[in-house]
Amino acid sequence: MIVTGAILIMALTTLSPVSAQDRSMAFRQAVAEAAARDDDLSAHYRESGYEPVWTGAGDADRARRKALITALREAENHGLPGVRYDADGLLAKMSEARTPRDLGLVEVALSKVFLTYARDVQTGLVVPGRVDDGIKREPPYRNRQAYLGAISQSSPEAVMRALPPQTPEYARLMKEKMRLERLMASGGWGPMVQSGTLKPGETGQGVAALRNRLIRMGYMKRSITNTYDSAIQKSVQKFQSMHGLEADGVAGESTMEELNKSVEDRLKSVIVAMERERWLNHERGARHVLVNLTDFTARIVDDGKVSFETRSVVGKNAHDRRSPEFSDEIEHMIVNPTWHVPRSIATKEYLPMLKRNPNAVSYLRLVDVRGRTVNRSNVDFSQFNARNFPFDIKQPPSRSNALGLVKFMFPNKYNIYLHDTPAKNLFSREVRAYSHGCIRLQDPFDFAYALLAPQEADPKNVFHSALNTGRETQIDLETHVPVHIIYRTAISSAKGHMEYRRDVYGRDARIWDAMAKEGVELRSYRG
């Protein structure tokens, strides 16, 4: 139901016959009392002289009421909990308002719900860091009084439309959400494939079930074949490519696991992705670096288009190694870097080795507080533990350096950066979560050239001139490049196709649980 304002007009015209002065005083007192515990609301109404935003008799007030109730009724389209805003309860309060005091209470109730909805749809329903301590992202919360100012002074419909993220990604996610909801209503993708590994050339019921699943999912045209033929193989490869799997055309364990994910599972991923998009609802930079941890990739994006892409290795799925999510700016790169071993690695991994054999990891240097290299033969490592270990550990520049030959710096308190690595074999793996938290790049030299291209006529020569010295060299970026380390299991493309990735750290599951506690539910409908 869409509110036209008639409910409150009726309330306004059936008030008790009291003077305008008495009516104003009663309204103001009710507003002041109802808003007393909300500093932003109290300040807004004091500064506006207690002028109503919603409960006046004019056309502008009716338009604001209509726009608000319409938005609240459509909140579930954004993956938000309609129950949280209780549009029906607001309608009941409006229809029951009879006195100036009633209207004052309704006025504040409408403002409170508007402020809650506006923040939820613009910058997120849940607080990231409370869901998972690896999510370091800080949503760009807006000034709450500014919301009330905007709705009071501008077109209410335009204000409501502008609240959600305006990115193509968000629009495509919403479209996918509605598509999946329709699929739920029609039975989803049918029966799961109850079979082990299936390979080209095989026949039987398992192949038929695989075929039917691929057809329902849109990866294959209608067919009656029971043989794992070239059509099925190509469809499996397409599915694998769209789900971050090795596209070998064999329906193995990991492929079967992803094939058998339900529509409901994918819908949860999409709703969580929409929430994550709200957390990042700010200007990301005409040129920026995007690292998707679940996709094991790093990309340079220029004016909305990917101009460079490389595989990455991210933090291992362990409590002290998972890569955090946050945004920063790449300021410079260090060619031929020294690896300053983090203290946690030095004491947890290397100190036990040194206790067993003082000459272990001989390629590393021990340095004392004065910066002097320590002679290991003079040290009794058995006397040290994680608290009193007095040395720094460093690895000088070399091709075998743990950081490889270049690292890309965006100084941050998490000590996370992008870098090269000598362990090139890891990039061929399907799941690439092995590091201590930093992001390793498969093509770091090409990445460096791309970053330097806007400021250097010959970026390759500039880079290699520094590299060939063998000395640690810093190359500054004249214009810092924003870097966003994200975590998306549902990813859209400009062509409208949706891709899905595994929840490697379990973060999306925790976000979904937090959203469900706030009242978010899966829904299905035909439309």
Side-chain angles (χ1 to χ4, degrees):
M1 180 176 67
I2 302 300
V3 173
T4 62
I7 292 174
L8 272 181
I9 288 298
M10 182 181 296
L12 285 166
T13 56
T14 56
L15 293 174
S16 301
V18 294
S19 69
Q21 181 177 356
D22 290 340
R23 179 182 301 176
S24 175
M25 182 58 68
F27 177 85
R28 289 168 54 131
Q29 287 179 340
V31 169
E33 291 173 13
R37 294 185 178 181
D38 188 313
D39 292 341
D40 293 321
L41 271 180
S42 294
H44 171 82
Y45 282 111
R46 282 198 309 271
E47 293 168 8
S48 69
Y50 293 90
E51 283 295 310
V53 176
W54 315 97
T55 56
D59 291 342
D61 297 78
R62 286 194 293 272
R64 286 191 282 272
R65 293 193 295 270
K66 177 180 177 180
L68 175 60
I69 297 300
T70 298
L72 299 184
R73 290 206 176 281
E74 295 176 354
E76 291 184 356
N77 291 344
H78 295 276
L80 296 173
V83 66
R84 179 177 172 88
Y85 316 111
D86 191 16
D88 290 337
L90 288 174
L91 289 172
K93 288 180 181 179
M94 286 189 275
S95 64
E96 294 165 2
R98 292 292 181 271
T99 67
R101 178 173 178 78
D102 293 340
L103 288 178
L105 297 177
V106 169
E107 171 72 28
V108 175
L110 289 166
S111 286
K112 285 182 176 180
V113 171
F114 166 65
L115 290 177
T116 298
Y117 169 78
R119 174 161 286 189
D120 290 351
V121 78
Q122 189 166 62
T123 50
L125 175 68
V126 299
V127 179
R130 295 179 185 173
V131 178
D132 188 292
D133 61 9
I135 308 175
K136 308 298 184 181
R137 191 158 303 288
E138 298 178 2
Y141 294 124
R142 271 59 164 186
N143 181 286
R144 295 171 78 240
Q145 289 189 59
Y147 284 131
L148 290 168
I151 201 72
S152 299
Q153 300 166 15
S154 306
S155 162
E157 293 84 0
V159 170
M160 293 298 185
R161 284 196 304 270
L163 287 174
Q166 302 300 298
T167 61
E169 174 78 358
Y170 191 82
R172 292 192 291 259
L173 287 168
M174 181 179 287
K175 183 178 179 180
E176 176 73 353
K177 174 180 176 293
M178 295 179 178
R179 185 185 77 86
L180 293 175
E181 289 169 343
R182 290 192 293 271
L183 271 171
M184 282 179 60
S186 63
W189 292 312
M192 293 192 299
V193 184
Q194 304 290 348
S195 180
T197 297
L198 294 172
K199 299 178 180 179
E202 294 186 10
T203 61
Q205 292 183 347
V207 174
L210 172 63
R211 174 204 67 202
N212 292 339
R213 187 87 170 173
L214 290 168
I215 291 171
R216 289 293 296 268
M217 298 179 94
Y219 289 98
M220 183 175 174
K221 295 180 180 179
R222 294 187 65 84
S223 170
I224 59 172
T225 183
N226 288 331
T227 300
Y228 200 128
D229 57 14
S230 61
I232 292 181
Q233 182 177 3
K234 289 178 181 177
S235 298
V236 168
Q237 287 177 312
K238 182 177 180 182
F239 175 88
Q240 290 169 329
S241 294
M242 301 289 276
H243 291 77
L245 306 168
E246 182 183 356
D248 59 6
V250 175
E253 182 180 354
S254 58
T255 297
M256 286 294 191
E257 182 179 352
E258 294 305 303
L259 267 168
N260 284 325
K261 290 286 180 67
S262 67
V263 170
E264 290 81 0
D265 290 332
R266 298 309 186 193
L267 181 54
K268 289 177 183 179
S269 291
V270 169
I271 291 172
V272 168
M274 293 174 72
E275 174 75 354
R276 288 179 169 283
E277 192 75 1
R278 290 188 283 265
W279 296 345
L280 200 55
N281 190 9
H282 56 74
E283 178 58 42
R284 299 173 197 185
R287 157 168 272 213
H288 62 268
V289 172
L290 196 65
V291 178
N292 188 3
L293 299 176
T294 68
D295 192 34
F296 311 110
T297 58
R299 299 177 174 91
I300 296 177
V301 180
D302 285 297
D303 298 319
K305 296 181 179 180
V306 176
S307 58
F308 176 85
E309 179 175 340
T310 184
R311 289 188 169 202
S312 68
V313 169
V314 305
K316 184 178 180 180
N317 187 21
H319 75 281
D320 59 346
R321 293 193 180 186
R322 299 182 189 102
S323 299
E325 303 167 45
F326 65 103
S327 294
D328 211 302
E329 292 185 343
I330 299 178
E331 299 178 4
H332 61 270
M333 64 186 73
I334 297 179
V335 185
N336 299 314
T338 296
W339 183 34
H340 300 268
V341 180
R343 184 168 180 82
S344 60
I345 299 176
T347 57
K348 291 180 182 179
E349 297 186 22
Y350 292 137
L351 178 56
M353 298 169 66
L354 292 169
K355 285 182 177 182
R356 292 191 298 268
N357 177 10
N359 294 316
V361 290
S362 58
Y363 56 88
L364 298 176
R365 287 195 300 120
L366 270 66
V367 181
D368 65 16
V369 293
R370 296 184 180 181
R372 299 173 301 188
T373 298
V374 175
N375 186 337
R376 299 182 186 204
S377 61
N378 296 330
V379 178
D380 177 11
F381 290 102
S382 64
Q383 65 181 307
F384 300 126
N385 55 43
R387 291 187 299 276
N388 66 8
F389 186 64
F391 307 118
D392 289 332
I393 299 180
K394 300 181 181 182
Q395 184 180 17
S398 72
R399 290 191 175 275
S400 60
N401 186 289
L403 305 182
L405 295 172
V406 60
K407 65 177 180 177
F408 304 90
M409 300 300 295
F410 37 104
N412 58 83
K413 60 185 177 182
Y414 317 114
N415 198 28
I416 297 296
Y417 40 87
L418 311 181
H419 65 87
D420 181 19
T421 176
K424 304 296 185 183
N425 61 306
L426 297 178
F427 292 108
S428 63
R429 303 191 182 186
E430 192 173 83
V431 175
R432 298 187 290 278
Y434 295 100
S435 80
H436 285 84
C438 287
I439 313 300
R440 305 176 188 174
L441 304 181
Q442 183 177 31
D443 303 300
F445 288 10
D446 292 331
F447 186 75
Y449 309 154
L451 289 181
L452 291 172
Q455 69 188 55
E456 303 292 348
D458 190 348
K460 187 173 182 179
N461 181 60
V462 170
F463 178 81
H464 283 276
S465 293
L467 182 67
N468 292 338
T469 67
R471 298 189 302 273
E472 184 168 291
T473 305
Q474 178 171 317
I475 303 178
D476 293 331
L477 297 184
E478 294 176 359
T479 301
H480 295 174
V481 179
V483 56
H484 307 289
I485 301 177
I486 66 171
Y487 186 105
R488 297 287 174 84
T489 60
I491 314 159
S492 77
S493 69
K495 295 181 179 179
H497 302 302
M498 288 298 302
E499 298 191 14
Y500 294 95
R501 298 293 185 266
R502 284 163 283 196
D503 188 7
V504 290
Y505 294 160
R507 287 179 184 166
D508 272 17
R510 286 188 281 277
I511 294 171
W512 170 258
D513 288 344
M515 295 181 74
K517 287 180 182 178
E518 295 295 334
V520 176
E521 296 178 333
L522 299 183
R523 63 175 188 172
S524 62
Y525 69 92
R526 299 182 185 275

PDB file of all heavy atoms in Angstrom, residues 99-114:
ATOM      1  N   THR A  99      -4.438  14.555  18.494  1.00  0.00           N
ATOM      2  CA  THR A  99      -4.115  15.794  19.193  1.00  0.00           C
ATOM      3  C   THR A  99      -2.757  16.308  18.736  1.00  0.00           C
ATOM      4  O   THR A  99      -1.960  15.559  18.139  1.00  0.00           O
ATOM      5  CB  THR A  99      -4.059  15.552  20.711  1.00  0.00           C
ATOM      6  OG1 THR A  99      -2.936  14.702  20.995  1.00  0.00           O
ATOM      7  CG2 THR A  99      -5.347  14.875  21.201  1.00  0.00           C
ATOM      8  N   PRO A 100      -2.449  17.566  19.032  1.00  0.00           N
ATOM      9  CA  PRO A 100      -1.115  18.084  18.711  1.00  0.00           C
ATOM     10  C   PRO A 100      -0.007  17.251  19.351  1.00  0.00           C
ATOM     11  O   PRO A 100       1.038  17.037  18.753  1.00  0.00           O
ATOM     12  CB  PRO A 100      -1.141  19.499  19.284  1.00  0.00           C
ATOM     13  CG  PRO A 100      -2.581  19.887  19.234  1.00  0.00           C
ATOM     14  CD  PRO A 100      -3.346  18.637  19.550  1.00  0.00           C
ATOM     15  N   ARG A 101      -0.258  16.751  20.555  1.00  0.00           N
ATOM     16  CA  ARG A 101       0.765  15.907  21.198  1.00  0.00           C
ATOM     17  C   ARG A 101       0.951  14.608  20.416  1.00  0.00           C
ATOM     18  O   ARG A 101       2.091  14.153  20.208  1.00  0.00           O
ATOM     19  CB  ARG A 101       0.355  15.596  22.639  1.00  0.00           C
ATOM     20  CG  ARG A 101       1.367  14.677  23.331  1.00  0.00           C
ATOM     21  CD  ARG A 101       1.069  14.492  24.808  1.00  0.00           C
ATOM     22  NE  ARG A 101       2.042  13.572  25.396  1.00  0.00           N
ATOM     23  CZ  ARG A 101       3.276  13.899  25.737  1.00  0.00           C
ATOM     24  NH1 ARG A 101       3.700  15.135  25.543  1.00  0.00           N
ATOM     25  NH2 ARG A 101       4.085  13.000  26.262  1.00  0.00           N
ATOM     26  N   ASP A 102      -0.153  14.005  19.985  1.00  0.00           N
ATOM     27  CA  ASP A 102      -0.049  12.792  19.169  1.00  0.00           C
ATOM     28  C   ASP A 102       0.805  13.046  17.938  1.00  0.00           C
ATOM     29  O   ASP A 102       1.662  12.238  17.577  1.00  0.00           O
ATOM     30  CB  ASP A 102      -1.437  12.319  18.722  1.00  0.00           C
ATOM     31  CG  ASP A 102      -2.286  11.827  19.874  1.00  0.00           C
ATOM     32  OD1 ASP A 102      -1.721  11.492  20.919  1.00  0.00           O
ATOM     33  OD2 ASP A 102      -3.521  11.780  19.701  1.00  0.00           O
ATOM     34  N   LEU A 103       0.557  14.195  17.298  1.00  0.00           N
ATOM     35  CA  LEU A 103       1.306  14.509  16.076  1.00  0.00           C
ATOM     36  C   LEU A 103       2.783  14.736  16.360  1.00  0.00           C
ATOM     37  O   LEU A 103       3.648  14.368  15.560  1.00  0.00           O
ATOM     38  CB  LEU A 103       0.715  15.743  15.399  1.00  0.00           C
ATOM     39  CG  LEU A 103      -0.643  15.556  14.720  1.00  0.00           C
ATOM     40  CD1 LEU A 103      -1.115  16.867  14.132  1.00  0.00           C
ATOM     41  CD2 LEU A 103      -0.554  14.495  13.644  1.00  0.00           C
ATOM     42  N   GLY A 104       3.092  15.321  17.515  1.00  0.00           N
ATOM     43  CA  GLY A 104       4.491  15.508  17.886  1.00  0.00           C
ATOM     44  C   GLY A 104       5.205  14.174  18.062  1.00  0.00           C
ATOM     45  O   GLY A 104       6.350  14.007  17.627  1.00  0.00           O
ATOM     46  N   LEU A 105       4.520  13.205  18.673  1.00  0.00           N
ATOM     47  CA  LEU A 105       5.121  11.877  18.859  1.00  0.00           C
ATOM     48  C   LEU A 105       5.291  11.160  17.524  1.00  0.00           C
ATOM     49  O   LEU A 105       6.301  10.500  17.285  1.00  0.00           O
ATOM     50  CB  LEU A 105       4.246  11.049  19.803  1.00  0.00           C
ATOM     51  CG  LEU A 105       4.113  11.600  21.229  1.00  0.00           C
ATOM     52  CD1 LEU A 105       3.155  10.722  22.044  1.00  0.00           C
ATOM     53  CD2 LEU A 105       5.469  11.681  21.914  1.00  0.00           C
ATOM     54  N   VAL A 106       4.280  11.314  16.635  1.00  0.00           N
ATOM     55  CA  VAL A 106       4.385  10.713  15.302  1.00  0.00           C
ATOM     56  C   VAL A 106       5.517  11.359  14.519  1.00  0.00           C
ATOM     57  O   VAL A 106       6.271  10.674  13.819  1.00  0.00           O
ATOM     58  CB  VAL A 106       3.053  10.853  14.540  1.00  0.00           C
ATOM     59  CG1 VAL A 106       3.229  10.491  13.074  1.00  0.00           C
ATOM     60  CG2 VAL A 106       1.982   9.968  15.166  1.00  0.00           C
ATOM     61  N   GLU A 107       5.662  12.660  14.637  1.00  0.00           N
ATOM     62  CA  GLU A 107       6.728  13.391  13.942  1.00  0.00           C
ATOM     63  C   GLU A 107       8.096  12.794  14.260  1.00  0.00           C
ATOM     64  O   GLU A 107       8.899  12.493  13.361  1.00  0.00           O
ATOM     65  CB  GLU A 107       6.681  14.863  14.359  1.00  0.00           C
ATOM     66  CG  GLU A 107       7.850  15.710  13.892  1.00  0.00           C
ATOM     67  CD  GLU A 107       7.837  16.000  12.411  1.00  0.00           C
ATOM     68  OE1 GLU A 107       6.742  16.026  11.818  1.00  0.00           O
ATOM     69  OE2 GLU A 107       8.930  16.190  11.835  1.00  0.00           O
ATOM     70  N   VAL A 108       8.376  12.585  15.534  1.00  0.00           N
ATOM     71  CA  VAL A 108       9.675  12.056  15.932  1.00  0.00           C
ATOM     72  C   VAL A 108       9.816  10.588  15.526  1.00  0.00           C
ATOM     73  O   VAL A 108      10.900  10.152  15.108  1.00  0.00           O
ATOM     74  CB  VAL A 108       9.892  12.231  17.446  1.00  0.00           C
ATOM     75  CG1 VAL A 108      11.192  11.565  17.886  1.00  0.00           C
ATOM     76  CG2 VAL A 108       9.933  13.715  17.796  1.00  0.00           C
ATOM     77  N   ALA A 109       8.731   9.841  15.629  1.00  0.00           N
ATOM     78  CA  ALA A 109       8.789   8.435  15.216  1.00  0.00           C
ATOM     79  C   ALA A 109       9.164   8.309  13.745  1.00  0.00           C
ATOM     80  O   ALA A 109       9.989   7.462  13.365  1.00  0.00           O
ATOM     81  CB  ALA A 109       7.448   7.756  15.471  1.00  0.00           C
ATOM     82  N   LEU A 110       8.595   9.167  12.902  1.00  0.00           N
ATOM     83  CA  LEU A 110       8.920   9.157  11.478  1.00  0.00           C
ATOM     84  C   LEU A 110      10.376   9.543  11.245  1.00  0.00           C
ATOM     85  O   LEU A 110      11.079   8.932  10.426  1.00  0.00           O
ATOM     86  CB  LEU A 110       7.987  10.099  10.719  1.00  0.00           C
ATOM     87  CG  LEU A 110       6.533   9.628  10.588  1.00  0.00           C
ATOM     88  CD1 LEU A 110       5.639  10.784  10.133  1.00  0.00           C
ATOM     89  CD2 LEU A 110       6.422   8.475   9.603  1.00  0.00           C
ATOM     90  N   SER A 111      10.853  10.538  11.975  1.00  0.00           N
ATOM     91  CA  SER A 111      12.252  10.969  11.818  1.00  0.00           C
ATOM     92  C   SER A 111      13.219   9.867  12.256  1.00  0.00           C
ATOM     93  O   SER A 111      14.240   9.624  11.600  1.00  0.00           O
ATOM     94  CB  SER A 111      12.511  12.240  12.630  1.00  0.00           C
ATOM     95  OG  SER A 111      11.925  13.366  12.006  1.00  0.00           O
ATOM     96  N   LYS A 112      12.898   9.193  13.363  1.00  0.00           N
ATOM     97  CA  LYS A 112      13.785   8.128  13.837  1.00  0.00           C
ATOM     98  C   LYS A 112      13.889   6.997  12.825  1.00  0.00           C
ATOM     99  O   LYS A 112      14.983   6.496  12.531  1.00  0.00           O
ATOM    100  CB  LYS A 112      13.273   7.594  15.181  1.00  0.00           C
ATOM    101  CG  LYS A 112      13.541   8.518  16.362  1.00  0.00           C
ATOM    102  CD  LYS A 112      13.055   7.886  17.664  1.00  0.00           C
ATOM    103  CE  LYS A 112      13.422   8.763  18.864  1.00  0.00           C
ATOM    104  NZ  LYS A 112      12.948   8.174  20.151  1.00  0.00           N
ATOM    105  N   VAL A 113      12.746   6.596  12.278  1.00  0.00           N
ATOM    106  CA  VAL A 113      12.762   5.516  11.297  1.00  0.00           C
ATOM    107  C   VAL A 113      13.498   5.960  10.036  1.00  0.00           C
ATOM    108  O   VAL A 113      14.267   5.185   9.446  1.00  0.00           O
ATOM    109  CB  VAL A 113      11.327   5.060  10.959  1.00  0.00           C
ATOM    110  CG1 VAL A 113      11.342   4.091   9.779  1.00  0.00           C
ATOM    111  CG2 VAL A 113      10.704   4.384  12.162  1.00  0.00           C
ATOM    112  N   PHE A 114      13.280   7.192   9.619  1.00  0.00           N
ATOM    113  CA  PHE A 114      13.967   7.702   8.428  1.00  0.00           C
ATOM    114  C   PHE A 114      15.475   7.664   8.629  1.00  0.00           C
ATOM    115  O   PHE A 114      16.225   7.220   7.749  1.00  0.00           O
ATOM    116  CB  PHE A 114      13.512   9.121   8.119  1.00  0.00           C
ATOM    117  CG  PHE A 114      14.382   9.833   7.125  1.00  0.00           C
ATOM    118  CD1 PHE A 114      14.480   9.385   5.810  1.00  0.00           C
ATOM    119  CD2 PHE A 114      15.127  10.947   7.502  1.00  0.00           C
ATOM    120  CE1 PHE A 114      15.301  10.042   4.888  1.00  0.00           C
ATOM    121  CE2 PHE A 114      15.942  11.600   6.592  1.00  0.00           C
ATOM    122  CZ  PHE A 114      16.036  11.141   5.283  1.00  0.00           C
TER     123      PHE A 114
END
